[in-house]
Protein backbone atom coordinates (compact mmCIF):
# COMPACT_ATOMS: atom_id res chain seq x y z
CA UNK A 1 0.00 0.00 0.00
CA UNK A 2 1.35 3.42 -0.94
CA UNK A 3 2.28 5.81 1.84
CA UNK A 4 1.03 9.40 2.00
CA UNK A 5 3.37 12.16 3.14
CA UNK A 6 2.83 15.83 4.03
CA UNK A 7 5.41 18.43 3.04
CA UNK A 8 5.63 21.36 5.45
CA UNK A 9 6.87 24.73 4.21
CA UNK A 10 10.55 24.89 5.20
CA UNK A 11 12.32 27.88 6.69
CA UNK A 12 13.94 28.67 3.29
CA UNK A 13 17.02 29.80 5.20
CA UNK A 14 15.79 33.31 6.11
CA UNK A 15 14.10 32.87 9.49
CA UNK A 16 10.87 34.51 8.31
CA UNK A 17 7.45 33.32 9.58
CA UNK A 18 5.74 32.89 6.21
CA UNK A 19 6.07 33.03 2.43
CA UNK A 20 3.78 33.77 -0.51
CA UNK A 21 3.06 31.31 -3.31
CA UNK A 22 4.21 32.72 -6.65
CA UNK A 23 3.58 29.77 -8.95
CA UNK A 24 3.05 26.02 -8.73
CA UNK A 25 5.01 23.94 -11.24
CA UNK A 26 2.64 21.00 -10.79
CA UNK A 27 -1.07 20.43 -10.27
CA UNK A 28 -2.97 17.91 -8.19
CA UNK A 29 -2.71 14.47 -9.77
CA UNK A 30 0.70 15.11 -11.38
CA UNK A 31 3.62 12.76 -10.79
CA UNK A 32 6.80 14.45 -9.59
CA UNK A 33 10.26 13.11 -8.83
CA UNK A 34 12.56 13.84 -5.91
CA UNK A 35 14.19 17.30 -6.10
CA UNK A 36 12.22 18.39 -9.18
CA UNK A 37 10.90 21.98 -8.90
CA UNK A 38 7.61 22.02 -7.00
CA UNK A 39 6.73 25.67 -6.39
CA UNK A 40 8.26 29.14 -6.32
CA UNK A 41 7.74 31.09 -3.11
CA UNK A 42 8.32 34.77 -2.36
CA UNK A 43 9.65 35.86 1.01
CA UNK A 44 10.65 39.30 2.21
CA UNK A 45 14.01 38.97 0.50
CA UNK A 46 13.78 36.32 -2.18
CA UNK A 47 11.86 34.46 -4.81
CA UNK A 48 12.82 30.86 -4.02
CA UNK A 49 12.28 27.73 -6.09
CA UNK A 50 11.31 24.94 -3.67
CA UNK A 51 12.11 21.39 -4.86
CA UNK A 52 9.98 18.34 -4.14
CA UNK A 53 11.13 16.32 -1.09
CA UNK A 54 9.43 13.15 -2.39
CA UNK A 55 8.76 11.15 -5.53
CA UNK A 56 5.14 10.34 -6.20
CA UNK A 57 1.70 11.70 -7.01
CA UNK A 58 0.65 15.16 -5.84
CA UNK A 59 -2.56 14.67 -3.85
CA UNK A 60 -3.15 18.18 -2.52
CA UNK A 61 -1.72 21.67 -2.89
CA UNK A 62 -2.20 24.16 -0.06
CA UNK A 63 -3.39 27.33 -1.76
CA UNK A 64 -2.89 29.12 -5.03
CA UNK A 65 -0.79 31.95 -6.40
CA UNK A 66 -0.79 34.89 -4.01
CA UNK A 67 -1.74 32.88 -0.90
CA UNK A 68 0.39 33.30 2.23
CA UNK A 69 1.63 30.08 3.82
CA UNK A 70 3.03 30.09 7.40
CA UNK A 71 6.41 28.46 7.82
CA UNK A 72 5.94 24.93 9.13
CA UNK A 73 2.39 24.47 7.83
CA UNK A 74 1.45 21.88 5.19
CA UNK A 75 2.41 23.03 1.70
CA UNK A 76 1.57 19.86 -0.25
CA UNK A 77 0.57 16.23 0.21
CA UNK A 78 2.09 13.34 -1.74
CA UNK A 79 1.37 9.68 -2.36
CA UNK A 80 4.82 8.10 -2.45
CA UNK A 81 5.79 5.92 -5.40
CA UNK A 82 7.99 3.00 -4.20
CA UNK A 83 9.32 2.56 -7.74
CA UNK A 84 10.86 6.04 -7.80
CA UNK A 85 13.86 7.28 -5.80
CA UNK A 86 13.09 8.62 -2.31
CA UNK A 87 15.20 10.44 0.24
CA UNK A 88 16.42 8.12 2.97
CA UNK A 89 14.79 8.48 6.39
CA UNK A 90 16.83 10.86 8.55
CA UNK A 91 18.72 12.30 5.59
CA UNK A 92 19.36 16.00 6.10
CA UNK A 93 17.34 18.09 3.68
CA UNK A 94 19.02 21.35 4.62
CA UNK A 95 15.74 22.77 5.96
CA UNK A 96 13.75 22.58 9.17
CA UNK A 97 10.22 21.72 8.15
CA UNK A 98 8.66 21.91 11.59
CA UNK A 99 5.07 20.87 12.21
CA UNK A 100 1.77 21.94 10.77
CA UNK A 101 0.64 25.28 12.15
CA UNK A 102 -2.87 25.70 13.52
CA UNK A 103 -5.24 27.51 11.20
CA UNK A 104 -5.74 30.38 13.63
CA UNK A 105 -2.17 30.62 14.85
CA UNK A 106 -1.18 34.09 16.12
CA UNK A 107 1.19 36.19 14.06
CA UNK A 108 4.79 35.26 14.93
CA UNK A 109 6.97 37.99 16.47
CA UNK A 110 8.97 40.26 14.14
CA UNK A 111 12.41 39.05 13.11
CA UNK A 112 15.33 41.50 13.60
CA UNK A 113 16.42 42.93 10.28
CA UNK A 114 20.04 42.09 10.94
CA UNK A 115 19.53 38.36 11.57
CA UNK A 116 22.32 36.40 9.92
CA UNK A 117 21.29 34.74 6.67
CA UNK A 118 23.25 31.95 5.01
CA UNK A 119 23.47 32.55 1.29
CA UNK A 120 25.28 31.00 -1.63
CA UNK A 121 27.70 33.04 -3.69
CA UNK A 122 25.70 34.81 -6.46
CA UNK A 123 26.40 33.90 -10.05
CA UNK A 124 28.06 36.36 -12.40
CA UNK A 125 25.75 39.18 -13.52
CA UNK A 126 23.92 38.53 -16.75
CA UNK A 127 20.85 39.80 -18.56
CA UNK A 128 18.48 37.25 -17.03
CA UNK A 129 19.79 37.38 -13.46
CA UNK A 130 16.28 37.91 -12.15
CA UNK A 131 16.37 35.89 -8.94
CA UNK A 132 17.18 36.98 -5.43
CA UNK A 133 18.49 33.56 -4.46
CA UNK A 134 21.32 32.29 -6.63
CA UNK A 135 21.26 28.81 -5.12
CA UNK A 136 19.39 26.93 -2.42
CA UNK A 137 20.11 23.77 -0.51
CA UNK A 138 17.34 21.19 -0.88
CA UNK A 139 19.27 18.08 0.09
CA UNK A 140 22.92 17.40 0.78
CA UNK A 141 23.78 19.15 -2.49
CA UNK A 142 23.28 22.75 -3.56
CA UNK A 143 21.18 23.16 -6.68
CA UNK A 144 21.91 26.31 -8.68
CA UNK A 145 18.74 28.07 -9.75
CA UNK A 146 18.11 28.01 -13.47
CA UNK A 147 15.40 28.91 -15.93
CA UNK A 148 12.66 26.30 -15.73
CA UNK A 149 10.36 25.43 -18.63
CA UNK A 150 6.72 25.54 -17.52
CA UNK A 151 3.98 25.52 -20.13
CA UNK A 152 6.63 25.70 -22.83
CA UNK A 153 8.12 28.93 -21.42
CA UNK A 154 11.56 29.06 -19.79
CA UNK A 155 12.05 31.62 -17.02
CA UNK A 156 13.50 31.83 -13.52
CA UNK A 157 11.05 32.25 -10.60
CA UNK A 158 11.70 35.98 -10.10
CA UNK A 159 10.91 36.66 -13.78
CA UNK A 160 7.65 34.73 -13.44
CA UNK A 161 6.79 36.66 -10.28
CA UNK A 162 7.45 39.99 -12.00
CA UNK A 163 5.36 38.96 -15.02
CA UNK A 164 2.47 38.10 -12.72
CA UNK A 165 2.70 41.46 -10.96
CA UNK A 166 2.86 43.39 -14.24
CA UNK A 167 0.06 41.42 -15.89
CA UNK A 168 2.32 40.00 -18.60
CA UNK A 169 1.56 36.69 -20.34
CA UNK A 170 4.93 34.93 -20.53
CA UNK A 171 3.79 32.74 -23.43
CA UNK A 172 3.47 35.88 -25.58
CA UNK A 173 6.79 37.49 -24.61
CA UNK A 174 9.64 37.47 -27.13
CA UNK A 175 12.48 35.68 -25.30
CA UNK A 176 16.02 36.97 -25.73
CA UNK A 177 17.79 34.99 -22.98
CA UNK A 178 20.11 32.01 -23.28
CA UNK A 179 18.44 28.85 -24.63
CA UNK A 180 15.24 30.76 -25.29
CA UNK A 181 14.64 31.86 -21.68
CA UNK A 182 12.51 34.91 -20.96
CA UNK A 183 14.56 37.54 -19.09
CA UNK A 184 13.55 40.30 -16.69
CA UNK A 185 14.25 42.86 -19.43
CA UNK A 186 11.93 40.96 -21.81
CA UNK A 187 9.09 41.10 -19.27
CA UNK A 188 9.58 44.81 -18.54
CA UNK A 189 9.69 45.62 -22.24
CA UNK A 190 6.48 43.65 -22.85
CA UNK A 191 4.80 45.47 -19.96
CA UNK A 192 5.92 48.84 -21.31
CA UNK A 193 4.67 48.30 -24.86
CA UNK A 194 1.60 46.27 -23.88
CA UNK A 195 2.42 43.51 -26.34
CA UNK A 196 1.76 40.60 -23.96
CA UNK A 197 -1.05 41.56 -21.63
CA UNK A 198 -2.76 38.72 -19.78
CA UNK A 199 -6.12 38.04 -21.41
CA UNK A 200 -5.45 40.31 -24.39
CA UNK A 201 -6.55 39.09 -27.82
CA UNK A 202 -3.69 37.47 -29.74
CA UNK A 203 -4.77 38.93 -33.04
CA UNK A 204 -2.65 41.83 -34.34
CA UNK A 205 -5.55 44.23 -34.17
CA UNK A 206 -4.29 47.57 -32.88
CA UNK A 207 -7.67 48.66 -31.53
CA UNK A 208 -8.16 45.58 -29.35
CA UNK A 209 -6.17 46.78 -26.30
CA UNK A 210 -7.91 50.15 -26.42
CA UNK A 211 -11.34 48.60 -26.63
CA UNK A 212 -10.56 46.30 -23.72
CA UNK A 213 -9.38 49.17 -21.56
CA UNK A 214 -12.75 50.90 -21.32
CA UNK A 215 -14.61 48.33 -19.21
CA UNK A 216 -11.56 47.94 -16.97
CA UNK A 217 -11.56 51.66 -16.28
CA UNK A 218 -15.29 51.63 -15.51
CA UNK A 219 -14.81 48.66 -13.20
CA UNK A 220 -12.09 50.41 -11.20
CA UNK A 221 -14.36 53.41 -10.70
CA UNK A 222 -17.15 51.27 -9.20
CA UNK A 223 -17.34 50.95 -5.43
CA UNK A 224 -16.39 47.60 -3.93
CA UNK A 225 -19.49 45.50 -3.09
CA UNK A 226 -20.20 44.93 0.60
CA UNK A 227 -21.01 41.70 2.36
CA UNK A 228 -23.98 41.26 4.69
CA UNK A 229 -21.68 42.26 7.55
CA UNK A 230 -20.93 45.54 5.83
CA UNK A 231 -17.34 44.60 5.02
CA UNK A 232 -15.86 44.82 1.50
CA UNK A 233 -15.74 41.44 -0.27
CA UNK A 234 -12.84 40.12 -2.33
CA UNK A 235 -13.97 40.19 -5.94
CA UNK A 236 -10.59 39.80 -7.56
CA UNK A 237 -8.07 36.97 -7.30
CA UNK A 238 -4.83 37.41 -5.30
CA UNK A 239 -2.14 39.22 -7.24
CA UNK A 240 -4.59 41.70 -8.80
CA UNK A 241 -4.43 45.20 -7.36
CA UNK A 242 -7.60 45.73 -5.30
CA UNK A 243 -9.03 49.18 -4.66
CA UNK A 244 -11.35 49.84 -1.75
CA UNK A 245 -10.79 46.35 -0.35
CA UNK A 246 -8.62 44.94 2.44
CA UNK A 247 -5.44 43.50 0.99
CA UNK A 248 -2.93 41.17 2.64
CA UNK A 249 0.58 42.58 2.78
CA UNK A 250 3.04 40.21 1.13
CA UNK A 251 6.75 39.73 0.63
CA UNK A 252 8.93 42.76 1.23
CA UNK A 253 6.10 45.05 2.36
CA UNK A 254 4.86 42.44 4.85
CA UNK A 255 8.31 42.10 6.40
CA UNK A 256 8.71 45.89 6.44
CA UNK A 257 5.55 46.15 8.57
CA UNK A 258 6.90 43.60 11.05
CA UNK A 259 10.38 45.15 11.25
CA UNK A 260 9.09 48.71 11.71
CA UNK A 261 6.66 47.63 14.43
CA UNK A 262 9.43 45.71 16.18
CA UNK A 263 11.76 48.72 16.00
CA UNK A 264 9.05 51.05 17.33
CA UNK A 265 8.44 48.79 20.32
CA UNK A 266 12.12 48.50 21.29
CA UNK A 267 14.10 51.61 20.34
CA UNK A 268 14.15 54.87 22.33
CA UNK A 269 14.60 57.23 19.35
CA UNK A 270 15.89 60.79 19.53
CA UNK A 271 16.54 62.94 16.46
CA UNK A 272 18.92 65.84 15.88
CA UNK A 273 18.59 68.13 12.85
CA UNK A 274 20.94 70.59 11.20
CA UNK A 275 21.91 71.92 7.77
CA UNK A 276 25.18 71.06 6.03
CA UNK A 277 26.55 74.07 4.16
CA UNK A 278 27.95 72.81 0.81
CA UNK A 279 28.61 76.24 -0.68
CA UNK A 280 32.33 75.41 -1.06
CA UNK A 281 31.76 72.29 -3.17
CA UNK A 282 33.57 72.22 -6.49
CA UNK A 283 31.67 70.94 -9.54
CA UNK A 284 31.53 67.17 -9.90
CA UNK A 285 30.89 66.24 -6.27
CA UNK A 286 28.65 63.17 -5.90
CA UNK A 287 26.06 63.90 -3.19
CA UNK A 288 25.58 60.28 -2.11
CA UNK A 289 29.32 59.61 -2.07
CA UNK A 290 29.91 62.72 0.05
CA UNK A 291 27.14 61.71 2.46
CA UNK A 292 28.61 58.23 2.87
CA UNK A 293 32.08 59.69 3.39
CA UNK A 294 30.74 62.08 6.01
CA UNK A 295 29.05 59.18 7.82
CA UNK A 296 32.36 57.31 7.83
CA UNK A 297 34.13 60.35 9.29
CA UNK A 298 31.44 60.66 11.96
CA UNK A 299 31.73 56.96 12.83
CA UNK A 300 35.50 57.19 13.14
CA UNK A 301 35.29 60.18 15.47
CA UNK A 302 32.29 58.88 17.47
CA UNK A 303 32.30 55.05 17.38
CA UNK A 304 29.27 54.90 19.68
CA UNK A 305 26.96 55.47 16.70
CA UNK A 306 28.65 52.83 14.53
CA UNK A 307 27.47 50.08 16.81
CA UNK A 308 24.95 47.33 17.56
CA UNK A 309 22.96 47.28 20.77
CA UNK A 310 21.32 44.28 22.45
CA UNK A 311 18.52 45.63 24.61
CA UNK A 312 17.86 42.29 26.29
CA UNK A 313 21.44 41.60 27.33
CA UNK A 314 22.27 45.32 27.65
CA UNK A 315 25.44 44.94 25.62
CA UNK A 316 26.79 46.94 22.71
CA UNK A 317 29.27 46.08 19.97
CA UNK A 318 31.46 48.84 18.53
CA UNK A 319 32.61 48.18 14.98
CA UNK A 320 36.02 49.04 13.54
CA UNK A 321 34.64 48.87 9.98
CA UNK A 322 31.73 50.88 8.56
CA UNK A 323 29.04 49.03 6.58
CA UNK A 324 26.39 51.56 5.50
CA UNK A 325 22.84 50.35 4.87
CA UNK A 326 21.48 52.25 1.84
CA UNK A 327 17.69 52.59 1.93
CA UNK A 328 16.22 51.79 -1.50
CA UNK A 329 12.54 52.49 -2.15
CA UNK A 330 10.71 50.15 -4.56
CA UNK A 331 7.11 49.42 -5.51
CA UNK A 332 7.35 46.19 -3.50
CA UNK A 333 8.55 47.96 -0.35
CA UNK A 334 11.75 49.06 1.37
CA UNK A 335 15.09 47.32 0.84
CA UNK A 336 18.23 48.22 2.80
CA UNK A 337 21.26 46.60 1.14
CA UNK A 338 24.65 47.00 2.80
CA UNK A 339 27.50 48.97 1.25
CA UNK A 340 30.35 46.96 2.74
CA UNK A 341 33.60 48.50 4.01
CA UNK A 342 32.59 52.05 3.14
CA UNK A 343 35.50 53.27 5.27
CA UNK A 344 38.03 52.06 2.66
CA UNK A 345 36.16 53.18 -0.47
CA UNK A 346 36.88 56.35 -2.43
CA UNK A 347 34.14 58.38 -4.14
CA UNK A 348 34.25 56.23 -7.27
CA UNK A 349 34.09 53.02 -5.26
CA UNK A 350 31.11 54.31 -3.28
CA UNK A 351 29.25 55.31 -6.45
CA UNK A 352 29.94 51.96 -8.14
CA UNK A 353 28.86 50.09 -5.03
CA UNK A 354 25.62 52.06 -4.63
CA UNK A 355 24.77 51.64 -8.32
CA UNK A 356 25.39 47.90 -8.10
CA UNK A 357 23.16 47.54 -5.06
CA UNK A 358 20.35 49.57 -6.61
CA UNK A 359 20.46 47.57 -9.82
CA UNK A 360 20.39 44.28 -7.93
CA UNK A 361 17.47 45.43 -5.79
CA UNK A 362 15.47 46.64 -8.79
CA UNK A 363 16.00 43.34 -10.62
CA UNK A 364 15.50 41.35 -7.39
CA UNK A 365 18.96 39.86 -7.93
CA UNK A 366 20.28 41.00 -4.54
CA UNK A 367 21.71 38.25 -2.34
CA UNK A 368 19.85 37.88 0.95
CA UNK A 369 23.14 38.17 2.85
CA UNK A 370 23.54 41.70 1.43
CA UNK A 371 20.34 42.85 3.16
CA UNK A 372 21.64 42.51 6.70
CA UNK A 373 24.67 43.17 8.84
CA UNK A 374 25.09 46.91 8.22
CA UNK A 375 26.42 48.98 11.14
CA UNK A 376 24.66 52.29 10.39
CA UNK A 377 22.25 53.35 7.64
CA UNK A 378 21.45 56.23 5.29
CA UNK A 379 18.09 57.34 3.94
CA UNK A 380 18.53 59.87 1.13
CA UNK A 381 14.81 60.72 0.97
CA UNK A 382 15.59 64.24 -0.25
CA UNK A 383 15.99 62.95 -3.80
CA UNK A 384 12.17 62.92 -3.82
CA UNK A 385 11.05 65.60 -1.35
CA UNK A 386 11.22 66.58 2.30
CA UNK A 387 13.55 68.58 4.48
CA UNK A 388 13.86 66.88 7.88
CA UNK A 389 12.64 63.51 9.14
CA UNK A 390 12.71 61.05 12.03
CA UNK A 391 14.02 57.95 10.22
CA UNK A 392 13.52 54.65 12.05
CA UNK A 393 16.46 52.94 13.76
CA UNK A 394 16.18 49.19 13.16
CA UNK A 395 17.81 47.05 15.87
CA UNK A 396 20.52 46.11 16.44
CA UNK A 397 21.82 49.32 14.81
CA UNK A 398 22.16 52.41 16.98
CA UNK A 399 21.78 55.20 14.39
CA UNK A 400 20.45 56.20 10.99
CA UNK A 401 21.14 59.36 8.96
CA UNK A 402 18.47 61.04 6.84
CA UNK A 403 19.34 63.54 4.10
CA UNK A 404 16.65 65.95 2.93
CA UNK A 405 16.19 67.91 -0.28
CA UNK A 406 19.01 70.41 -0.92
CA UNK A 407 18.02 74.05 -1.07
CA UNK A 408 19.50 77.54 -1.15
CA UNK A 409 19.22 79.80 1.87
CA UNK A 410 20.54 83.22 2.82
CA UNK A 411 23.61 82.86 5.03
CA UNK A 412 25.20 85.72 7.01
CA UNK A 413 28.83 86.38 6.04
CA UNK A 414 31.31 89.14 6.78
CA UNK A 415 29.94 92.26 5.15
CA UNK A 416 26.46 90.96 4.35
CA UNK A 417 24.64 87.80 3.31
CA UNK A 418 25.11 85.19 0.59
CA UNK A 419 22.93 82.49 -0.93
CA UNK A 420 24.44 79.15 0.13
CA UNK A 421 23.30 75.69 -0.87
CA UNK A 422 22.60 73.44 2.11
CA UNK A 423 21.58 69.82 2.69
CA UNK A 424 19.24 69.22 5.65
CA UNK A 425 20.43 66.35 7.86
CA UNK A 426 18.57 64.31 10.46
CA UNK A 427 20.31 61.84 12.77
CA UNK A 428 18.08 59.48 14.72
CA UNK A 429 19.82 57.44 17.41
CA UNK A 430 18.80 54.93 20.07
CA UNK A 431 19.13 56.84 23.33
CA UNK A 432 19.55 53.55 25.22
CA UNK A 433 22.94 53.07 23.55
CA UNK A 434 24.23 56.59 22.83
CA UNK A 435 24.13 59.94 24.58
CA UNK A 436 22.89 63.20 23.14
CA UNK A 437 26.44 64.53 23.26
CA UNK A 438 27.77 61.62 21.23
CA UNK A 439 25.05 62.09 18.62
CA UNK A 440 25.73 65.84 18.46
CA UNK A 441 29.47 65.29 18.00
CA UNK A 442 28.73 62.74 15.27
CA UNK A 443 26.52 65.25 13.46
CA UNK A 444 29.16 67.98 13.90
CA UNK A 445 31.75 65.72 12.27
CA UNK A 446 29.44 65.14 9.32
CA UNK A 447 28.78 68.88 8.92
CA UNK A 448 32.50 69.68 8.98
CA UNK A 449 33.33 67.04 6.36
CA UNK A 450 30.50 68.11 4.08
CA UNK A 451 31.67 71.73 4.29
CA UNK A 452 34.94 70.80 2.55
CA UNK A 453 35.32 71.68 -1.13
CA UNK A 454 35.98 68.07 -2.16
Amino acid sequence: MSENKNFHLPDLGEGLPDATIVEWFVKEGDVIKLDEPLVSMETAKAVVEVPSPFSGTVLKLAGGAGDIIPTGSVLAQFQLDPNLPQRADGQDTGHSHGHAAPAAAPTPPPIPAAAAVEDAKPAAERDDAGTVVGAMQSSNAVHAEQALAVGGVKAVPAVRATARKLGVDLSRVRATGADGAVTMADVKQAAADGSAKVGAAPAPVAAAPIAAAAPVARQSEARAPLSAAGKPMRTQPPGVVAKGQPEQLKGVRRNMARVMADAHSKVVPTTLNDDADIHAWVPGNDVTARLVRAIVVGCQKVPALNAWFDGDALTRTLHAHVDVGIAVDTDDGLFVPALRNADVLDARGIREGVNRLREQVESRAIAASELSGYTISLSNFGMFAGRYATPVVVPPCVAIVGAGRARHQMTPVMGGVEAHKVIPLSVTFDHRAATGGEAARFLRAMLDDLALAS
Side-chain angles (χ1 to χ4, degrees):
M1 182 176 179
S2 299
E3 181 183 4
N4 292 349
K5 285 277 192 178
N6 288 334
F7 175 43
H8 300 276
L9 177 65
D11 185 325
L12 301 181
E14 297 191 0
L16 297 174
D18 52 44
T20 303
I21 297 173
V22 175
E23 182 177 15
W24 288 103
F25 300 131
V26 296
K27 61 182 181 297
E28 293 180 1
D30 284 354
V31 175
I32 189 171
K33 294 181 181 179
L34 177 69
D35 286 335
E36 285 185 345
L38 174 67
V39 62
S40 63
M41 305 289 296
E42 181 178 16
T43 69
K45 301 175 182 178
V47 177
V48 181
E49 186 180 285
V50 179
S52 174
F54 309 113
S55 295
T57 302
V58 179
L59 298 180
K60 185 177 181 181
L61 302 177
D67 287 348
I68 297 171
I69 308 297
T71 299
S73 64
V74 176
L75 183 61
Q77 186 179 57
F78 300 83
Q79 182 181 61
L80 303 191
D81 188 335
N83 298 318
L84 294 175
Q86 303 291 347
R87 182 170 289 114
D89 289 340
Q91 182 178 351
D92 183 17
T93 64
H95 298 298
S96 174
H97 296 278
H99 301 283
T107 303
I111 303 299
V117 177
E118 182 178 352
D119 185 76
K121 185 177 180 180
E125 293 187 13
R126 54 189 183 277
D127 289 342
D128 61 343
T131 175
V132 178
V133 174
M136 68 170 291
Q137 184 174 340
S138 60
S139 61
N140 288 339
V142 174
H143 300 271
E145 187 171 67
Q146 57 186 339
L148 178 71
V150 177
V153 179
K154 293 183 67 175
V156 296
V159 171
R160 294 181 183 279
T162 300
R164 187 181 298 277
K165 290 177 182 178
L166 298 179
V168 172
D169 184 350
L170 282 176
S171 65
R172 303 183 61 203
V173 176
R174 180 177 176 273
T176 63
D179 298 325
V182 177
T183 69
M184 189 70 73
D186 296 337
V187 170
K188 291 181 178 180
Q189 179 60 40
D193 60 29
S195 60
K197 292 182 179 179
V198 173
V205 179
I210 300 175
V216 174
R218 287 194 294 270
Q219 179 182 349
S220 65
E221 294 170 1
R223 293 179 62 86
L226 301 181
S227 66
K231 296 181 179 180
M233 297 186 299
R234 178 176 290 281
T235 57
Q236 298 175 345
V240 176
V241 176
K243 296 183 178 179
Q245 303 181 47
E247 180 183 2
Q248 279 282 346
L249 296 182
K250 299 172 184 176
V252 179
R253 197 171 293 274
R254 186 178 182 87
N255 188 60
M256 179 181 69
R258 289 195 184 103
V259 170
M260 293 298 110
D262 178 58
H264 183 71
S265 68
K266 293 180 178 179
V267 174
V268 181
T270 304
T271 303
L272 298 181
N273 307 113
D274 210 330
D275 294 322
D277 191 323
I278 61 172
H279 180 67
W281 281 17
V282 297
N285 269 285
D286 183 318
V287 175
T288 300
R290 288 296 304 267
L291 287 170
V292 170
R293 191 185 81 177
I295 289 174
V296 169
V297 170
C299 290
Q300 291 171 338
K301 292 188 176 181
V302 189
L305 270 69
N306 186 47
W308 290 345
F309 178 71
D310 186 334
D312 296 326
L314 294 180
T315 60
R316 71 171 182 173
T317 303
L318 302 182
H319 299 284
H321 63 281
V322 182
D323 289 350
V324 181
I326 306 294
V328 179
D329 180 67
T330 73
D331 291 339
D332 291 329
L334 178 67
F335 287 81
V336 186
L339 180 66
R340 304 292 183 191
N341 300 310
D343 50 309
V344 298
L345 298 177
D346 59 11
R348 180 178 178 181
I350 293 173
R351 171 46 56 193
E352 291 176 349
V354 170
N355 288 345
R356 175 181 57 82
L357 293 174
R358 288 186 182 278
E359 290 170 3
Q360 290 179 346
V361 165
E362 290 171 359
S363 65
R364 295 299 295 270
I366 186 78
S369 60
E370 294 300 314
L371 296 171
S372 62
Y374 44 87
T375 60
I376 191 170
S377 49
L378 167 65
S379 175
N380 191 9
F381 62 87
M383 62 187 299
F384 301 114
R387 184 172 296 185
Y388 306 106
T390 53
V392 178
V393 177
V394 176
C397 287
V398 170
I400 179 174
V401 175
R405 189 171 185 82
R407 71 184 192 280
H408 285 87
Q409 70 176 21
M410 300 309 295
T411 303
V413 296
M414 291 294 293
V417 294
E418 293 179 351
H420 284 199
K421 191 172 186 179
V422 298
I423 298 178
L425 296 180
S426 304
V427 177
T428 297
F429 64 99
D430 187 344
H431 217 322
R432 299 176 302 167
T435 68
E438 289 170 329
R441 289 192 291 275
F442 173 89
L443 181 55
R444 180 73 263 168
M446 284 193 65
L447 296 175
D448 290 344
D449 186 75
L450 288 169
L452 300 176
S454 60

